[in-house]
Amino acid sequence: MNVLWLILLSVSIVFAVFTGRLEAFTQALFDGAKSAVEISLFLLGIISVWLGITRILEDSGLIYRIAHLFRPILSRLFKNIPDDHPSLTAITLNVLANLFGLGNAATPLGIKAMQELDSLNEDKGTITFEMMIFIILNTASIQLIPFSVIGILAAYGAENPAGIVLPVLIATLVSAVTALTILFSFRKILK
C-alpha cells in the first residue's frame, strides 16, 4: 500500500511540475494535511468519549444488563456460546458502538470479542462459525445513528448532515442480512 501512495504522490508532483501548477499542488498538500489533522482530532474525541462510556458501563455492571437485553437476538445467532461467557459482553459492546456509527471505537471491542471467541475455540488457529458471524456483524456495522459521519458532514458545512441516517440504516441492514443469509446457506450446503 505504501508503494501505491508513493506512486500517486510522484505522479501528482510530475503533473504539477509539467502543468506549471506546483504552487497550487503544494497549497493543496498542506490544506489536505491540515484537514486530516483536524478530522483525526475530532474523531479522537468521539472515540475517547465512547471508550469512556463503555468503561463506565463495564465498571458499573450495566453492560451485563444491556448484554442481557441483547441476549435473545444474540442467542439466535451465536448458539454455541454459553450464556455467561465474556465474549457476549464484548460482542454487545461492539454492536452498540457500530449502532451509533462509532466504527473506530468498535475496533478495539471487536478485537476483544474475537479473542474471547477464540478462547472457546478447540482448534486454535482456525475460524469458528461464531467468529464468522461476528465478522459479518462487525463488518456490516449496522448503524442507527452514524455519529462520526454526521459529525464530519457537519464540520464541512453540509446542509443536512443527518440526511444520511435512513440510507445508512437501510444499506447496513441489507448488507448484514445478505451476508448472514449467504453464510447460513453455505453452512447448510456444506454439512
Side-chain angles (χ1 to χ4, degrees):
M1 192 67 170
N2 289 338
V3 172
L4 180 62
W5 286 113
L6 182 63
I7 291 170
L8 287 173
L9 186 61
S10 300
V11 169
S12 299
I13 292 170
V14 168
F15 273 99
V17 168
F18 281 122
T19 59
R21 301 190 65 193
L22 191 58
E23 186 177 325
F25 172 78
T26 306
Q27 183 63 39
L29 192 65
F30 285 113
D31 288 346
K34 178 183 173 192
S35 292
V37 169
E38 289 171 352
I39 290 174
S40 296
L41 289 174
F42 173 76
L43 291 175
L44 179 66
I46 290 173
I47 291 168
S48 298
V49 167
W50 180 251
L51 289 176
I53 289 170
T54 58
R55 185 66 166 175
I56 291 168
L57 289 173
E58 202 170 0
D59 289 348
S60 70
L62 188 58
I63 191 59
Y64 300 107
R65 290 186 180 151
I66 294 171
H68 183 70
L69 291 174
F70 274 80
R71 184 66 191 150
I73 298 168
L74 293 177
S75 66
R76 291 177 190 229
L77 288 174
F78 300 97
K79 293 180 181 177
N80 295 327
I81 298 177
D83 286 339
D84 59 344
H85 197 268
S87 62
L88 289 176
T89 302
I91 290 169
T92 301
L93 284 170
N94 178 271
V95 168
L96 286 174
N98 282 326
L99 280 175
F100 294 110
L102 304 169
N104 292 331
T107 301
L109 301 168
I111 292 169
K112 176 75 171 160
M114 285 299 278
Q115 289 170 341
E116 295 293 344
L117 286 170
D118 194 43
S119 72
L120 294 170
N121 191 357
E122 293 175 8
D123 187 14
K124 303 292 185 205
T126 60
I127 190 167
T128 64
F129 188 69
E130 284 71 26
M131 288 176 171
M132 289 183 217
I133 293 170
F134 177 69
I135 289 170
I136 289 172
L137 289 179
N138 185 51
T139 305
S141 180
I142 299 170
Q143 295 184 21
L144 292 175
I145 305 169
F147 283 125
S148 296
V149 177
I150 291 171
I152 291 170
L153 289 173
Y156 278 104
E159 264 185 50
N160 183 13
I164 62 159
V165 171
L166 185 61
V168 167
L169 177 61
I170 292 170
T172 56
L173 272 173
V174 168
S175 66
V177 169
T178 302
L180 286 170
T181 302
I182 291 169
L183 178 66
F184 280 95
S185 298
F186 271 103
R187 186 175 191 200
K188 275 189 174 183
I189 292 169
L190 297 176
K191 269 192 169 183

